[in-house]
Amino acid sequence: PMFIRLVPKHLVRTATTTVARRGFHASAIRHLQAQAVVYKSHGNPEEVLKLETQTLPENPGSNQVLVQMLSAPITPGDLQTIGGNTRTKLNLPAVAGSSGVGQVLKVGDHVHSIQPGDWVIPSNINLGTWRTHLIAKEDDLLVTEKFPNPEYAALLGPGPIIAHRLLNDFVDLQPGDVVIQNAANGLIGTAVVQLAALRGIKTINVIRDRSNIEGWFRRLKQLGGYVVVDDDYLKTYQFKRLISDLPKPKLALNSVGGFSATEIARTLAPGGKLVTFGASSGKPVEIPTSLLVERGISLEGFWYADWLKSTSRQGKQALLNEVSDKVARGKHKFFGKNFKLQDYVFAIKEYHNEVRNMTILLKINSIPKVMPMLPIHFNRRA
């Protein structure tokens, strides 16, 4: 069969057998007991998060969808939101997680764009994806392609979709142009490398010096990175010589802040742009006046939540289809490590491991392996 069983038997009480809407066979659900990672106050995620049981309604509303979650990543935005360090304020208690993929179990009578059995990802931020099941409005979901591994679908939003926007929304980049970025070994950074390479755009990639840095040098070069250096090398004369034969970058992508942002801004061509979409160092962006006055560089910001709010569902679906096609054709790779939902504390600890070289995901529910496996790069702890 192509679809997973609707609900594990130990999670529900069942009544008589029925046929769900649009021919998806199921047992009638009376009380679905879902597991969710919840926080009732902001703070250290390892301290404020708790695994709780939630009872979902018997059936989704007329414009709602019942989803069984398959996989959800841990992202910087997730942990910042739990910590109360973003301008996105949720009503507490709240379920953690903003990205992921699930399989549709049941749809309301007025739902037309989503079918039972579809895979879906969030169309809006903070849907609460770290749980076994959820009910969402049709407009809050997008239908994604079914990959042999659900992790690929779970990472589309916080990876290549953001990278696509960064490479397209600020500068008119052409083949042969150069982009410089820090945090190049993150989920977004590796997506930028791959999408840029497909377009003939060269990337200068800066990563933090750590014990496994040589492995990252090799990986980023294999993915299509043109230059890969550590952040200390940025300040040296040797770095200036290394990039002297390249056109000056038109675009600098900053998600670190502090001196790293300053140094990548120094490399920009006259009229270039520094786009900030994160601040992992916790330090402000400081730009010398001379870069603004004499070289005319400009500073802009990108906030994924704002893009989701301002873009039509049709526009988001079109971009999802585009990046999904690249992944399906083997043009984009991910590197991830899975943890079970109940092991979320260990997953968060691994996220903070400074030698981590993979995206951390929560493997929530399994699907049958009904398709041939593609070459992937996943360490499966779950």
Side-chain angles (χ1 to χ4, degrees):
M2 286 295 292
F3 302 125
I4 53 178
R5 187 172 58 213
L6 285 188
V7 184
K9 290 181 179 178
H10 69 281
L11 289 181
V12 301
R13 291 192 290 116
T14 60
T16 58
T17 300
T18 64
V19 178
R21 187 160 101 73
R22 297 175 191 164
F24 195 70
H25 295 274
S27 293
I29 299 173
R30 299 176 73 181
H31 298 288
L32 173 57
Q33 301 297 310
Q35 299 294 305
V37 179
V38 176
Y39 57 105
K40 299 178 180 179
S41 62
H42 294 296
N44 181 341
E46 295 179 31
E47 298 174 357
V48 301
L49 292 176
K50 305 294 180 184
L51 186 65
E52 297 186 355
T53 299
Q54 297 182 335
T55 301
L56 296 185
E58 179 179 332
N59 291 301
S62 62
N63 67 338
Q64 292 181 326
V65 178
L66 174 63
V67 179
Q68 177 174 275
M69 292 301 299
L70 302 175
S71 176
I74 297 176
T75 70
D78 293 330
L79 300 184
Q80 290 165 8
T81 300
I82 296 166
N85 300 319
T86 71
R87 60 184 172 87
T88 302
K89 302 302 179 184
L90 304 179
N91 294 325
L92 300 180
V95 178
S98 59
S99 304
V101 64
Q103 181 159 289
V104 175
L105 302 183
K106 211 170 187 181
V107 301
D109 291 337
H110 295 164
V111 174
H112 302 293
S113 63
I114 299 174
Q115 303 265 354
D118 283 345
W119 282 15
V120 290
I121 70 169
S123 174
N124 291 305
I125 208 72
N126 295 317
L127 194 60
T129 55
W130 296 7
R131 49 178 153 182
T132 57
H133 301 79
L134 61 84
I135 290 180
K137 295 179 180 178
E138 179 181 15
D139 287 345
D140 287 335
L141 300 169
L142 301 172
V143 177
T144 182
E145 183 163 343
K146 292 183 178 180
F147 299 98
N149 291 79
E151 293 90 348
Y152 274 19
L155 295 173
L156 291 173
I161 286 180
I162 292 178
H164 186 282
R165 294 268 56 92
L166 294 171
L167 291 172
N168 285 274
D169 289 359
F170 301 96
V171 175
D172 181 19
L173 295 170
Q174 301 296 324
D177 286 340
V178 177
V179 172
I180 186 170
Q181 64 169 340
N182 53 29
N185 54 340
L187 177 60
I188 297 172
T190 54
V192 165
V193 169
Q194 295 175 82
L195 293 179
L198 289 173
R199 295 171 54 184
I201 299 167
K202 296 181 173 65
T203 53
I204 301 171
N205 302 281
V206 183
I207 61 177
R208 186 160 55 93
D209 192 7
R210 56 181 69 187
S211 60
N212 62 343
I213 193 169
E214 292 297 329
W216 272 112
F217 284 164
R218 291 191 297 271
R219 179 180 292 180
L220 288 171
K221 293 288 284 186
Q222 290 168 355
L223 293 177
Y226 195 76
V227 173
V228 186
V229 299
D230 65 68
D231 47 11
D232 289 332
Y233 198 72
L234 271 178
K235 299 176 287 186
T236 67
Y237 173 73
Q238 288 83 356
F239 174 68
K240 293 179 180 178
R241 287 190 59 186
L242 178 66
I243 64 172
S244 62
D245 62 337
L246 291 173
K248 287 187 174 296
K250 291 183 177 181
L251 177 65
L253 301 175
N254 164 53
S255 61
V256 176
F259 96 91
S260 180
T262 305
E263 293 303 317
I264 65 173
R266 291 185 192 278
T267 69
L268 282 168
K273 287 188 177 181
L274 174 72
V275 176
T276 295
F277 61 99
S280 62
S281 71
K283 298 178 181 178
V285 175
E286 297 181 351
I287 303 299
T289 303
S290 60
L291 295 183
L292 303 174
V293 175
E294 299 173 15
R295 206 178 300 176
I297 74 166
S298 58
L299 312 180
E300 295 203 42
F302 177 82
W303 186 245
Y304 184 46
D306 284 349
W307 179 81
L308 288 174
K309 290 178 183 178
S310 64
T311 305
S312 69
R313 185 164 178 258
Q314 292 75 16
K316 289 180 278 193
Q317 185 69 62
L319 179 53
L320 173 61
N321 294 343
E322 181 179 340
V323 298
S324 295
D325 180 65
K326 290 183 173 65
V327 174
R329 291 187 290 113
K331 302 296 184 181
H332 196 102
K333 295 182 176 64
F334 299 103
F335 303 85
K337 183 176 182 179
N338 278 319
F339 288 78
K340 295 178 181 178
L341 181 67
Q342 60 265 37
D343 292 334
Y344 65 91
V345 173
F346 297 104
I348 293 171
K349 289 181 183 294
E350 181 65 14
Y351 175 91
H352 290 298
N353 182 352
E354 69 170 18
V355 297
R356 170 175 63 88
N357 62 358
M358 295 185 181
T359 299
I360 303 302
L361 301 101
L362 299 173
K363 182 181 179 183
I364 303 173
N365 286 295
S366 298
I367 59 170
K369 302 302 181 185
V370 297
M371 292 175 282
M373 298 296 291
L374 296 177
I376 58 169
H377 307 270
F378 271 88
N379 182 337
R380 296 190 172 277
R381 169 174 176 148

